[in-house]
Amino acid sequence: MNLFKTFTRTLFITLIVFIAGQNKSFADGGFPVRPGRLLISPSVSYFFANSQWDSSGVKKRFANNGKFASVGVTLYAEYGLSRRFAVVASVPYVFNNYRQTGFPNSTSSGLTDIETGLRYYLANIDFVYYFSIQGTAITPLYSNNQSLGYGEEGAELKLAFSGSGHLGSNSTYFNVSDGVRQYFGTNGPIQNRYSGTFGLSLDSEFENQVSASVSGIYSQSNDKRFSVIPETNKDFSFLQASLSYGHSFTREISLFATGGEFLTGRNTGAGTTFSLAFIYRLDYR
């Protein structure tokens, strides 16, 4: 297995860990994408919560035996423009359902926020450790629907550091990232989004991999209201842990399954997440 193929497999699993971890598609890896290479990742995710952390971090059940569930379908794409630059984009669709004893069900569905970004690979150390910076624009694909998101444009600047190594006879990798996001509307929150991942190959052909990650968001706003729909809260925080298993059928096609659990939080739902995602790789050069 050459070094280039190792990095390709590493990038695949890095993408999926964060797709599942945030219930939306966005990549945080510092590993470069080959010029002319297109990565396409359709994914489906499920989020469930029947309790919340209040504004002081105390966990309690939703009122009236409430239960919130959300199914999301996301299409993520990344294309290598050159050795230094890559463009990324994600388009999500969600279906939300909240039910309470004695009340009619509340549902909402539709496209949410499209994210488009440009990533620049700052540097590498011996082609083993990589640093990148990414700017992302957030644009709502809906209007007058507070059940799908803030309805506000935003921007994010993110730094990432990635590397690979060995644990005994197994190949490993890690990825850490931190991004600051600002929404521009009334009481638009400012957010710190952070994540860290460690992955391990289970065989010499890199066909089977496992990984563990932690991720979280710390969001500040003058709007302190709580909603069972996580994407509509503005002043909140949470920490999440996730486990992922991936299998590569060929060099072009991989499938990943991920489960995650919210560990702590403030003014947000105490959720559980599951997801399935495919990775397709196409070369145009």
mmCIF file of all heavy atoms in Angstrom, residues 23-68:
data_model
loop_
_atom_site.group_PDB
_atom_site.id
_atom_site.type_symbol
_atom_site.label_atom_id
_atom_site.label_comp_id
_atom_site.label_asym_id
_atom_site.label_seq_id
_atom_site.Cartn_x
_atom_site.Cartn_y
_atom_site.Cartn_z
ATOM 1 N N ASN A 23 -24.782 15.871 12.312
ATOM 2 C CA ASN A 23 -26.062 15.684 11.638
ATOM 3 C C ASN A 23 -26.174 16.565 10.393
ATOM 4 O O ASN A 23 -27.259 16.937 9.965
ATOM 5 C CB ASN A 23 -27.223 15.964 12.586
ATOM 6 C CG ASN A 23 -28.504 15.300 12.137
ATOM 7 O OD1 ASN A 23 -28.463 14.274 11.486
ATOM 8 N ND2 ASN A 23 -29.625 15.888 12.484
ATOM 9 N N LYS A 24 -25.064 16.952 9.822
ATOM 10 C CA LYS A 24 -25.029 17.677 8.572
ATOM 11 C C LYS A 24 -23.698 17.354 7.912
ATOM 12 O O LYS A 24 -22.802 16.785 8.523
ATOM 13 C CB LYS A 24 -25.175 19.177 8.761
ATOM 14 C CG LYS A 24 -24.075 19.806 9.568
ATOM 15 C CD LYS A 24 -24.208 21.310 9.612
ATOM 16 C CE LYS A 24 -25.459 21.730 10.312
ATOM 17 N NZ LYS A 24 -25.549 23.199 10.446
ATOM 18 N N SER A 25 -23.560 17.711 6.651
ATOM 19 C CA SER A 25 -22.347 17.343 5.936
ATOM 20 C C SER A 25 -21.374 18.506 5.884
ATOM 21 O O SER A 25 -21.624 19.533 5.309
ATOM 22 C CB SER A 25 -22.713 16.908 4.511
ATOM 23 O OG SER A 25 -21.583 16.543 3.803
ATOM 24 N N PHE A 26 -20.280 18.326 6.513
ATOM 25 C CA PHE A 26 -19.174 19.255 6.337
ATOM 26 C C PHE A 26 -17.910 18.526 6.713
ATOM 27 O O PHE A 26 -17.897 17.663 7.562
ATOM 28 C CB PHE A 26 -19.342 20.540 7.168
ATOM 29 C CG PHE A 26 -19.397 20.330 8.636
ATOM 30 C CD1 PHE A 26 -18.247 20.357 9.385
ATOM 31 C CD2 PHE A 26 -20.606 20.117 9.257
ATOM 32 C CE1 PHE A 26 -18.296 20.172 10.742
ATOM 33 C CE2 PHE A 26 -20.650 19.924 10.623
ATOM 34 C CZ PHE A 26 -19.509 19.949 11.363
ATOM 35 N N ALA A 27 -16.795 18.832 6.026
ATOM 36 C CA ALA A 27 -15.534 18.138 6.249
ATOM 37 C C ALA A 27 -14.584 19.032 7.004
ATOM 38 O O ALA A 27 -14.607 20.233 6.879
ATOM 39 C CB ALA A 27 -14.914 17.735 4.911
ATOM 40 N N ASP A 28 -13.723 18.404 7.817
ATOM 41 C CA ASP A 28 -12.772 19.156 8.614
ATOM 42 C C ASP A 28 -11.339 18.732 8.373
ATOM 43 O O ASP A 28 -10.441 19.199 9.052
ATOM 44 C CB ASP A 28 -13.089 18.980 10.101
ATOM 45 C CG ASP A 28 -14.387 19.638 10.487
ATOM 46 O OD1 ASP A 28 -14.399 20.859 10.603
ATOM 47 O OD2 ASP A 28 -15.375 18.927 10.657
ATOM 48 N N GLY A 29 -11.111 17.827 7.436
ATOM 49 C CA GLY A 29 -9.786 17.254 7.313
ATOM 50 C C GLY A 29 -8.752 18.209 6.760
ATOM 51 O O GLY A 29 -9.039 19.047 5.921
ATOM 52 N N GLY A 30 -7.513 18.055 7.207
ATOM 53 C CA GLY A 30 -6.422 18.816 6.652
ATOM 54 C C GLY A 30 -5.732 18.087 5.515
ATOM 55 O O GLY A 30 -4.850 18.643 4.875
ATOM 56 N N PHE A 31 -6.118 16.819 5.253
ATOM 57 C CA PHE A 31 -5.470 16.049 4.200
ATOM 58 C C PHE A 31 -5.844 16.610 2.826
ATOM 59 O O PHE A 31 -7.011 16.866 2.554
ATOM 60 C CB PHE A 31 -5.874 14.581 4.275
ATOM 61 C CG PHE A 31 -5.339 13.873 5.483
ATOM 62 C CD1 PHE A 31 -6.132 13.708 6.606
ATOM 63 C CD2 PHE A 31 -4.044 13.388 5.505
ATOM 64 C CE1 PHE A 31 -5.650 13.060 7.724
ATOM 65 C CE2 PHE A 31 -3.543 12.731 6.616
ATOM 66 C CZ PHE A 31 -4.352 12.574 7.728
ATOM 67 N N PRO A 32 -4.882 16.793 1.947
ATOM 68 C CA PRO A 32 -5.173 17.395 0.640
ATOM 69 C C PRO A 32 -5.912 16.441 -0.289
ATOM 70 O O PRO A 32 -5.796 15.226 -0.185
ATOM 71 C CB PRO A 32 -3.778 17.723 0.097
ATOM 72 C CG PRO A 32 -2.871 16.752 0.767
ATOM 73 C CD PRO A 32 -3.443 16.540 2.138
ATOM 74 N N VAL A 33 -6.677 17.024 -1.205
ATOM 75 C CA VAL A 33 -7.374 16.284 -2.248
ATOM 76 C C VAL A 33 -6.611 16.465 -3.548
ATOM 77 O O VAL A 33 -6.234 17.583 -3.906
ATOM 78 C CB VAL A 33 -8.822 16.789 -2.403
ATOM 79 C CG1 VAL A 33 -9.528 16.032 -3.515
ATOM 80 C CG2 VAL A 33 -9.574 16.627 -1.093
ATOM 81 N N ARG A 34 -6.394 15.396 -4.242
ATOM 82 C CA ARG A 34 -5.636 15.428 -5.491
ATOM 83 C C ARG A 34 -6.302 16.351 -6.505
ATOM 84 O O ARG A 34 -7.534 16.353 -6.642
ATOM 85 C CB ARG A 34 -5.543 14.014 -6.051
ATOM 86 C CG ARG A 34 -4.777 13.897 -7.347
ATOM 87 C CD ARG A 34 -4.745 12.444 -7.783
ATOM 88 N NE ARG A 34 -4.069 12.288 -9.059
ATOM 89 C CZ ARG A 34 -3.887 11.120 -9.658
ATOM 90 N NH1 ARG A 34 -4.335 10.012 -9.081
ATOM 91 N NH2 ARG A 34 -3.269 11.047 -10.818
ATOM 92 N N PRO A 35 -5.541 17.189 -7.222
ATOM 93 C CA PRO A 35 -6.134 18.043 -8.261
ATOM 94 C C PRO A 35 -6.926 17.221 -9.266
ATOM 95 O O PRO A 35 -6.467 16.183 -9.749
ATOM 96 C CB PRO A 35 -4.916 18.697 -8.912
ATOM 97 C CG PRO A 35 -3.856 18.686 -7.855
ATOM 98 C CD PRO A 35 -4.083 17.404 -7.087
ATOM 99 N N GLY A 36 -8.133 17.671 -9.570
ATOM 100 C CA GLY A 36 -8.984 16.961 -10.511
ATOM 101 C C GLY A 36 -9.791 15.848 -9.903
ATOM 102 O O GLY A 36 -10.569 15.186 -10.605
ATOM 103 N N ARG A 37 -9.677 15.633 -8.615
ATOM 104 C CA ARG A 37 -10.429 14.571 -7.943
ATOM 105 C C ARG A 37 -11.718 15.131 -7.341
ATOM 106 O O ARG A 37 -11.714 16.162 -6.669
ATOM 107 C CB ARG A 37 -9.603 13.919 -6.847
ATOM 108 C CG ARG A 37 -10.399 12.935 -5.975
ATOM 109 C CD ARG A 37 -9.476 11.984 -5.266
ATOM 110 N NE ARG A 37 -8.781 11.153 -6.242
ATOM 111 C CZ ARG A 37 -7.682 10.458 -5.967
ATOM 112 N NH1 ARG A 37 -7.133 10.543 -4.776
ATOM 113 N NH2 ARG A 37 -7.124 9.715 -6.890
ATOM 114 N N LEU A 38 -12.825 14.445 -7.589
ATOM 115 C CA LEU A 38 -14.126 14.814 -7.055
ATOM 116 C C LEU A 38 -14.588 13.752 -6.072
ATOM 117 O O LEU A 38 -14.661 12.570 -6.420
ATOM 118 C CB LEU A 38 -15.157 14.957 -8.178
ATOM 119 C CG LEU A 38 -16.595 15.221 -7.747
ATOM 120 C CD1 LEU A 38 -16.713 16.578 -7.059
ATOM 121 C CD2 LEU A 38 -17.541 15.135 -8.953
ATOM 122 N N LEU A 39 -14.860 14.166 -4.853
ATOM 123 C CA LEU A 39 -15.441 13.289 -3.843
ATOM 124 C C LEU A 39 -16.915 13.646 -3.681
ATOM 125 O O LEU A 39 -17.260 14.807 -3.464
ATOM 126 C CB LEU A 39 -14.734 13.456 -2.499
ATOM 127 C CG LEU A 39 -13.245 13.126 -2.441
ATOM 128 C CD1 LEU A 39 -12.702 13.385 -1.040
ATOM 129 C CD2 LEU A 39 -12.997 11.685 -2.845
ATOM 130 N N ILE A 40 -17.788 12.652 -3.784
ATOM 131 C CA ILE A 40 -19.223 12.850 -3.608
ATOM 132 C C ILE A 40 -19.699 11.939 -2.489
ATOM 133 O O ILE A 40 -19.398 10.740 -2.484
ATOM 134 C CB ILE A 40 -20.005 12.540 -4.889
ATOM 135 C CG1 ILE A 40 -19.535 13.454 -6.023
ATOM 136 C CG2 ILE A 40 -21.501 12.702 -4.676
ATOM 137 C CD1 ILE A 40 -20.181 13.141 -7.356
ATOM 138 N N SER A 41 -20.429 12.490 -1.521
ATOM 139 C CA SER A 41 -20.882 11.705 -0.380
ATOM 140 C C SER A 41 -22.351 11.985 -0.077
ATOM 141 O O SER A 41 -22.680 12.997 0.550
ATOM 142 C CB SER A 41 -20.041 12.024 0.864
ATOM 143 O OG SER A 41 -20.584 11.346 1.994
ATOM 144 N N PRO A 42 -23.269 11.105 -0.517
ATOM 145 C CA PRO A 42 -24.646 11.176 -0.043
ATOM 146 C C PRO A 42 -24.758 10.453 1.296
ATOM 147 O O PRO A 42 -24.150 9.396 1.494
ATOM 148 C CB PRO A 42 -25.438 10.451 -1.133
ATOM 149 C CG PRO A 42 -24.453 9.490 -1.729
ATOM 150 C CD PRO A 42 -23.079 10.095 -1.568
ATOM 151 N N SER A 43 -25.518 11.015 2.228
ATOM 152 C CA SER A 43 -25.647 10.392 3.548
ATOM 153 C C SER A 43 -27.060 10.585 4.073
ATOM 154 O O SER A 43 -27.771 11.519 3.684
ATOM 155 C CB SER A 43 -24.638 10.998 4.536
ATOM 156 O OG SER A 43 -24.928 12.368 4.769
ATOM 157 N N VAL A 44 -27.467 9.697 4.970
ATOM 158 C CA VAL A 44 -28.739 9.813 5.670
ATOM 159 C C VAL A 44 -28.463 9.671 7.153
ATOM 160 O O VAL A 44 -27.668 8.816 7.574
ATOM 161 C CB VAL A 44 -29.757 8.756 5.182
ATOM 162 C CG1 VAL A 44 -29.224 7.342 5.371
ATOM 163 C CG2 VAL A 44 -31.096 8.946 5.890
ATOM 164 N N SER A 45 -29.080 10.521 7.968
ATOM 165 C CA SER A 45 -28.825 10.509 9.400
ATOM 166 C C SER A 45 -30.137 10.577 10.179
ATOM 167 O O SER A 45 -31.160 11.066 9.667
ATOM 168 C CB SER A 45 -27.921 11.679 9.808
ATOM 169 O OG SER A 45 -28.526 12.911 9.461
ATOM 170 N N TYR A 46 -30.089 10.089 11.413
ATOM 171 C CA TYR A 46 -31.263 10.084 12.284
ATOM 172 C C TYR A 46 -30.860 10.639 13.644
ATOM 173 O O TYR A 46 -29.850 10.219 14.221
ATOM 174 C CB TYR A 46 -31.792 8.657 12.446
ATOM 175 C CG TYR A 46 -32.934 8.530 13.427
ATOM 176 C CD1 TYR A 46 -34.222 8.931 13.080
ATOM 177 C CD2 TYR A 46 -32.738 7.996 14.707
ATOM 178 C CE1 TYR A 46 -35.277 8.812 13.979
ATOM 179 C CE2 TYR A 46 -33.779 7.880 15.600
ATOM 180 C CZ TYR A 46 -35.056 8.287 15.232
ATOM 181 O OH TYR A 46 -36.091 8.179 16.120
ATOM 182 N N PHE A 47 -31.636 11.600 14.136
ATOM 183 C CA PHE A 47 -31.395 12.221 15.439
ATOM 184 C C PHE A 47 -32.645 12.046 16.291
ATOM 185 O O PHE A 47 -33.766 12.280 15.830
ATOM 186 C CB PHE A 47 -31.076 13.707 15.258
ATOM 187 C CG PHE A 47 -30.920 14.473 16.551
ATOM 188 C CD1 PHE A 47 -29.682 14.585 17.170
ATOM 189 C CD2 PHE A 47 -32.012 15.082 17.147
ATOM 190 C CE1 PHE A 47 -29.538 15.290 18.348
ATOM 191 C CE2 PHE A 47 -31.883 15.790 18.331
ATOM 192 C CZ PHE A 47 -30.641 15.891 18.933
ATOM 193 N N PHE A 48 -32.445 11.644 17.572
ATOM 194 C CA PHE A 48 -33.579 11.444 18.475
ATOM 195 C C PHE A 48 -33.247 12.028 19.844
ATOM 196 O O PHE A 48 -32.116 11.894 20.339
ATOM 197 C CB PHE A 48 -33.888 9.955 18.647
ATOM 198 C CG PHE A 48 -34.946 9.683 19.683
ATOM 199 C CD1 PHE A 48 -36.287 9.825 19.375
ATOM 200 C CD2 PHE A 48 -34.594 9.309 20.978
ATOM 201 C CE1 PHE A 48 -37.265 9.594 20.341
ATOM 202 C CE2 PHE A 48 -35.552 9.078 21.942
ATOM 203 C CZ PHE A 48 -36.901 9.223 21.620
ATOM 204 N N ALA A 49 -34.247 12.682 20.463
ATOM 205 C CA ALA A 49 -34.076 13.229 21.813
ATOM 206 C C ALA A 49 -35.436 13.255 22.511
ATOM 207 O O ALA A 49 -36.447 13.616 21.901
ATOM 208 C CB ALA A 49 -33.482 14.631 21.771
ATOM 209 N N ASN A 50 -35.463 12.860 23.786
ATOM 210 C CA ASN A 50 -36.675 12.996 24.600
ATOM 211 C C ASN A 50 -36.391 13.754 25.897
ATOM 212 O O ASN A 50 -37.225 13.780 26.800
ATOM 213 C CB ASN A 50 -37.296 11.631 24.911
ATOM 214 C CG ASN A 50 -36.346 10.703 25.662
ATOM 215 O OD1 ASN A 50 -35.285 11.134 26.132
ATOM 216 N ND2 ASN A 50 -36.712 9.435 25.764
ATOM 217 N N SER A 51 -35.198 14.354 25.979
ATOM 218 C CA SER A 51 -34.835 15.151 27.146
ATOM 219 C C SER A 51 -33.910 16.273 26.710
ATOM 220 O O SER A 51 -33.432 16.300 25.564
ATOM 221 C CB SER A 51 -34.169 14.273 28.213
ATOM 222 O OG SER A 51 -33.013 13.638 27.702
ATOM 223 N N GLN A 52 -33.645 17.198 27.616
ATOM 224 C CA GLN A 52 -32.844 18.374 27.302
ATOM 225 C C GLN A 52 -31.965 18.760 28.479
ATOM 226 O O GLN A 52 -32.185 18.320 29.613
ATOM 227 C CB GLN A 52 -33.763 19.562 26.997
ATOM 228 C CG GLN A 52 -34.507 20.073 28.241
ATOM 229 C CD GLN A 52 -35.362 21.282 27.979
ATOM 230 O OE1 GLN A 52 -36.514 21.132 27.580
ATOM 231 N NE2 GLN A 52 -34.820 22.467 28.221
ATOM 232 N N TRP A 53 -30.933 19.555 28.197
ATOM 233 C CA TRP A 53 -30.209 20.281 29.235
ATOM 234 C C TRP A 53 -30.741 21.710 29.257
ATOM 235 O O TRP A 53 -30.789 22.362 28.208
ATOM 236 C CB TRP A 53 -28.710 20.278 28.959
ATOM 237 C CG TRP A 53 -28.059 18.964 29.216
ATOM 238 C CD1 TRP A 53 -27.752 18.401 30.422
ATOM 239 C CD2 TRP A 53 -27.596 18.018 28.240
ATOM 240 N NE1 TRP A 53 -27.140 17.185 30.261
ATOM 241 C CE2 TRP A 53 -27.030 16.925 28.935
ATOM 242 C CE3 TRP A 53 -27.610 18.003 26.847
ATOM 243 C CZ2 TRP A 53 -26.492 15.830 28.277
ATOM 244 C CZ3 TRP A 53 -27.071 16.916 26.186
ATOM 245 C CH2 TRP A 53 -26.513 15.841 26.905
ATOM 246 N N ASP A 54 -31.120 22.198 30.430
ATOM 247 C CA ASP A 54 -31.654 23.555 30.503
ATOM 248 C C ASP A 54 -30.514 24.574 30.474
ATOM 249 O O ASP A 54 -29.342 24.222 30.245
ATOM 250 C CB ASP A 54 -32.545 23.735 31.733
ATOM 251 C CG ASP A 54 -31.803 23.573 33.060
ATOM 252 O OD1 ASP A 54 -30.561 23.658 33.071
ATOM 253 O OD2 ASP A 54 -32.473 23.366 34.088
ATOM 254 N N SER A 55 -30.827 25.849 30.699
ATOM 255 C CA SER A 55 -29.845 26.914 30.563
ATOM 256 C C SER A 55 -28.719 26.832 31.582
ATOM 257 O O SER A 55 -27.659 27.435 31.401
ATOM 258 C CB SER A 55 -30.531 28.277 30.680
ATOM 259 O OG SER A 55 -31.204 28.395 31.923
ATOM 260 N N SER A 56 -28.926 26.070 32.661
ATOM 261 C CA SER A 56 -27.877 25.893 33.671
ATOM 262 C C SER A 56 -27.200 24.530 33.558
ATOM 263 O O SER A 56 -26.387 24.165 34.415
ATOM 264 C CB SER A 56 -28.455 26.075 35.079
ATOM 265 O OG SER A 56 -29.484 25.138 35.323
ATOM 266 N N GLY A 57 -27.544 23.738 32.536
ATOM 267 C CA GLY A 57 -26.904 22.447 32.311
ATOM 268 C C GLY A 57 -27.534 21.290 33.047
ATOM 269 O O GLY A 57 -26.949 20.205 33.101
ATOM 270 N N VAL A 58 -28.748 21.468 33.606
ATOM 271 C CA VAL A 58 -29.457 20.400 34.304
ATOM 272 C C VAL A 58 -30.283 19.605 33.288
ATOM 273 O O VAL A 58 -31.032 20.186 32.500
ATOM 274 C CB VAL A 58 -30.365 20.964 35.411
ATOM 275 C CG1 VAL A 58 -31.153 19.838 36.074
ATOM 276 C CG2 VAL A 58 -29.530 21.712 36.443
ATOM 277 N N LYS A 59 -30.144 18.281 33.310
ATOM 278 C CA LYS A 59 -30.851 17.430 32.351
ATOM 279 C C LYS A 59 -32.232 17.076 32.868
ATOM 280 O O LYS A 59 -32.400 16.698 34.030
ATOM 281 C CB LYS A 59 -30.038 16.153 32.101
ATOM 282 C CG LYS A 59 -30.578 15.290 30.959
ATOM 283 C CD LYS A 59 -29.647 14.114 30.717
ATOM 284 C CE LYS A 59 -30.137 13.240 29.575
ATOM 285 N NZ LYS A 59 -29.230 12.091 29.321
ATOM 286 N N LYS A 60 -33.250 17.172 31.992
ATOM 287 C CA LYS A 60 -34.621 16.831 32.368
ATOM 288 C C LYS A 60 -35.397 16.407 31.126
ATOM 289 O O LYS A 60 -35.006 16.719 29.996
ATOM 290 C CB LYS A 60 -35.302 18.029 33.026
ATOM 291 C CG LYS A 60 -35.346 19.290 32.175
ATOM 292 C CD LYS A 60 -35.947 20.448 32.957
ATOM 293 C CE LYS A 60 -35.989 21.716 32.111
ATOM 294 N NZ LYS A 60 -36.525 22.863 32.877
ATOM 295 N N ARG A 61 -36.503 15.688 31.338
ATOM 296 C CA ARG A 61 -37.307 15.214 30.229
ATOM 297 C C ARG A 61 -38.080 16.358 29.594
ATOM 298 O O ARG A 61 -38.386 17.359 30.229
ATOM 299 C CB ARG A 61 -38.290 14.149 30.723
ATOM 300 C CG ARG A 61 -37.647 12.856 31.216
ATOM 301 C CD ARG A 61 -37.002 12.100 30.068
ATOM 302 N NE ARG A 61 -37.965 11.649 29.084
ATOM 303 C CZ ARG A 61 -38.545 10.453 29.097
ATOM 304 N NH1 ARG A 61 -38.245 9.582 30.039
ATOM 305 N NH2 ARG A 61 -39.408 10.122 28.155
ATOM 306 N N PHE A 62 -38.411 16.197 28.313
ATOM 307 C CA PHE A 62 -39.291 17.145 27.655
ATOM 308 C C PHE A 62 -40.663 17.127 28.320
ATOM 309 O O PHE A 62 -41.100 16.095 28.857
ATOM 310 C CB PHE A 62 -39.462 16.793 26.171
ATOM 311 C CG PHE A 62 -38.253 17.090 25.319
ATOM 312 C CD1 PHE A 62 -38.003 16.339 24.185
ATOM 313 C CD2 PHE A 62 -37.386 18.120 25.634
ATOM 314 C CE1 PHE A 62 -36.908 16.603 23.377
ATOM 315 C CE2 PHE A 62 -36.286 18.398 24.838
ATOM 316 C CZ PHE A 62 -36.039 17.636 23.710
ATOM 317 N N ALA A 63 -41.348 18.245 28.274
ATOM 318 C CA ALA A 63 -42.683 18.336 28.854
ATOM 319 C C ALA A 63 -43.654 17.417 28.120
ATOM 320 O O ALA A 63 -43.517 17.166 26.917
ATOM 321 C CB ALA A 63 -43.180 19.781 28.776
ATOM 322 N N ASN A 64 -44.636 16.887 28.870
ATOM 323 C CA ASN A 64 -45.716 16.063 28.308
ATOM 324 C C ASN A 64 -45.198 14.855 27.532
ATOM 325 O O ASN A 64 -45.724 14.502 26.474
ATOM 326 C CB ASN A 64 -46.617 16.912 27.397
ATOM 327 C CG ASN A 64 -47.189 18.119 28.099
ATOM 328 O OD1 ASN A 64 -47.784 18.005 29.169
ATOM 329 N ND2 ASN A 64 -46.995 19.291 27.513
ATOM 330 N N ASN A 65 -44.126 14.249 28.070
ATOM 331 C CA ASN A 65 -43.544 13.058 27.440
ATOM 332 C C ASN A 65 -43.150 13.318 25.983
ATOM 333 O O ASN A 65 -43.308 12.465 25.103
ATOM 334 C CB ASN A 65 -44.528 11.876 27.511
ATOM 335 C CG ASN A 65 -43.858 10.542 27.246
ATOM 336 O OD1 ASN A 65 -42.697 10.337 27.595
ATOM 337 N ND2 ASN A 65 -44.587 9.638 26.616
ATOM 338 N N GLY A 66 -42.617 14.508 25.734
ATOM 339 C CA GLY A 66 -42.269 14.902 24.373
ATOM 340 C C GLY A 66 -41.120 14.103 23.795
ATOM 341 O O GLY A 66 -40.192 13.698 24.511
ATOM 342 N N LYS A 67 -41.176 13.878 22.487
ATOM 343 C CA LYS A 67 -40.128 13.148 21.762
ATOM 344 C C LYS A 67 -39.881 13.860 20.438
ATOM 345 O O LYS A 67 -40.819 14.122 19.673
ATOM 346 C CB LYS A 67 -40.536 11.699 21.518
ATOM 347 C CG LYS A 67 -40.693 10.872 22.773
ATOM 348 C CD LYS A 67 -41.129 9.453 22.451
ATOM 349 C CE LYS A 67 -41.190 8.575 23.701
ATOM 350 N NZ LYS A 67 -42.212 9.061 24.642
ATOM 351 N N PHE A 68 -38.617 14.168 20.175
ATOM 352 C CA PHE A 68 -38.242 14.821 18.925
ATOM 353 C C PHE A 68 -37.383 13.881 18.090
ATOM 354 O O PHE A 68 -36.454 13.247 18.601
ATOM 355 C CB PHE A 68 -37.458 16.110 19.193
ATOM 356 C CG PHE A 68 -36.914 16.750 17.950
ATOM 357 C CD1 PHE A 68 -37.749 17.459 17.107
ATOM 358 C CD2 PHE A 68 -35.569 16.631 17.611
ATOM 359 C CE1 PHE A 68 -37.257 18.047 15.940
ATOM 360 C CE2 PHE A 68 -35.073 17.216 16.455
ATOM 361 C CZ PHE A 68 -35.917 17.924 15.622
#
